[in-house]
């Protein structure tokens, strides 16, 4: 009895080896020595697997340039799921179809420079010591940033910069800046950044125009300003 079992086991092992060898021969013989193809290659297996995969981006294009993916998948899905790559290979050859797909390319990581700036003109009027005296002021809020050219996402940015470009109230008036705050806030998608600033001023009156001496002072503000820089 043990003798027959050993013989049976040997026969099964031989059959298994023959099946494996036949599969190897099939893959090897799919390419003739003279360069011609006789059947599916390893590359064809991979392309087919990707074509029939769920949510595939692969397309079947006929010889006229028409997208026939849906019809092709419907016609040959049974062959694919039964492992009959040869039938699919024959169909591609006979119909002169092309299988195409888009490749994902790495986004360039070139850093680009960006900047944003906005100016604000403001008129103010005294209400305390010398009511009705007016002054004008021009100030600018700005900022700079860097972003990736491929993704459009900002990787670094400066704080907001506040600059009082011009102030005019007459020869006997001057000002002092106080309570200044600046900030920069990056958007959730990282494709824009907003620069903001806030400040106040003290208007100083000196009838004798003597440095460091004020007859009276009046506070104004806070003044605010913001500007948003975008990558696209």
């Amino acid at each position: 009895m043990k003798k027959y079992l050993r013989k049976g086991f040997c026969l099964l092992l031989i059959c298994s080896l023959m099946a494996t060898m036949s599969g190897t021969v099939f893959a090897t013989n799919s390419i003739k020595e003279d360069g011609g193809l006789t059947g599916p290659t390893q590359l064809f297996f991979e392309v087919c697997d990707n074509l029939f995969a769920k949510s595939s981006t692969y397309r079947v294009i006929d010889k006229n340039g028409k997208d026939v993916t849906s019809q092709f998948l419907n016609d040959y899905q049974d062959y694919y799921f039964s492992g009959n790559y040869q039938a699919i290979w024959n169909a591609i050859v006979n119909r002169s179809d092309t299988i195409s797909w888009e490749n994902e390319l790495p986004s360039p990581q070139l850093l680009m420079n960006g900047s944003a700036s906005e100016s604000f003109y403001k008129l103010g009027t005294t209400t305390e010591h010398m009511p009705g005296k007016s002054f004008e002021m021009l100030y600018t809020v700005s900022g700079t940033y860097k972003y990736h050219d491929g993704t459009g996402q900002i990787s670094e940015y400066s704080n907001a910069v506040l600059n009082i470009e011009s102030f005019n109230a007459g020869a006997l008036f001057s000002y002092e800046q106080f309570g200044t705050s600046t900030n920069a806030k990056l958007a959730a998608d990282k494709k824009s950044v907003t620069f903001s600033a806030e400040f106040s001023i003290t208007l100083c009156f000196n009838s004798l125009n003597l440095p460091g001496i004020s007859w009276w002072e009046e506070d104004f503000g806070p003044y605010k300003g913001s500007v948003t820089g975008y990558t696209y």
Side-chain angles (χ1 to χ4, degrees):
M1 182 67 178
K2 291 183 178 179
K3 182 178 180 181
Y4 290 116
L5 288 175
R6 283 198 298 270
K7 286 185 177 180
F9 176 76
C10 290
L11 288 173
L12 288 174
L13 180 61
I14 292 171
C15 291
S16 176
L17 289 173
M18 289 181 64
T20 303
M21 291 176 62
S22 65
T24 304
V25 171
F26 173 76
T28 303
N29 291 340
S30 63
I31 304 177
K32 290 183 178 180
E33 291 183 359
D34 61 5
L37 297 180
T38 61
T41 62
Q42 185 61 41
L43 176 59
F44 185 82
F45 296 152
E46 294 174 3
V47 171
C48 269
D49 290 343
N50 289 327
L51 173 64
F52 284 88
K54 290 183 178 180
S55 303
S56 174
T57 58
Y58 280 50
R59 298 184 303 153
V60 180
I61 308 299
D62 68 13
K63 59 184 177 181
N64 297 317
K66 183 180 178 181
D67 188 336
V68 293
T69 307
S70 296
Q71 186 62 49
F72 187 92
L73 295 179
N74 185 64
D75 292 344
Y76 294 97
Q77 62 180 349
D78 290 341
Y79 292 99
Y80 173 74
F81 289 117
S82 65
N84 191 348
Y85 288 87
Q86 183 68 49
I88 303 173
W89 189 86
N90 292 337
I92 294 293
V93 171
N94 296 332
R95 294 167 39 146
S96 299
D97 288 338
T98 300
I99 300 176
S100 70
W101 61 92
E102 292 187 8
N103 296 305
E104 291 187 6
L105 299 176
S107 300
Q109 296 300 303
L110 180 64
L111 279 180
M112 307 294 289
N113 293 317
S115 61
S117 177
E118 188 162 343
S119 296
F120 304 85
Y121 177 80
K122 184 67 178 179
L123 284 171
T125 304
T126 60
T127 59
E128 297 179 4
H129 302 282
M130 298 174 64
K133 297 296 181 180
S134 298
F135 63 89
E136 64 178 1
M137 178 172 57
L138 175 65
Y139 61 95
T140 299
V141 178
S142 62
T144 60
Y145 50 95
K146 293 181 180 295
Y147 64 93
H148 293 289
D149 185 40
T151 64
Q153 292 191 327
I154 297 172
S155 59
E156 55 184 279
Y157 53 94
S158 70
N159 193 10
V161 176
L162 170 68
N163 186 27
I164 298 179
E165 306 283 351
S166 176
F167 183 91
N168 184 25
L172 301 180
F173 293 88
S174 62
Y175 76 93
E176 295 178 359
Q177 182 179 331
F178 71 95
T180 303
S181 64
T182 58
N183 68 81
K185 183 177 182 181
L186 186 65
D189 62 3
K190 298 184 179 181
K191 294 185 177 181
S192 65
V193 56
T194 299
F195 304 97
S196 303
E198 180 178 314
F199 68 101
S200 299
I201 65 168
T202 297
L203 181 65
C204 307
F205 174 71
N206 180 358
S207 61
L208 299 179
N209 199 20
L210 298 176
I213 297 178
S214 298
W215 294 107
W216 58 260
E217 298 176 349
E218 186 174 345
D219 293 339
F220 294 88
Y223 299 108
K224 300 178 181 180
S226 65
V227 61
T228 301
Y230 299 90
T231 59
Y232 291 121

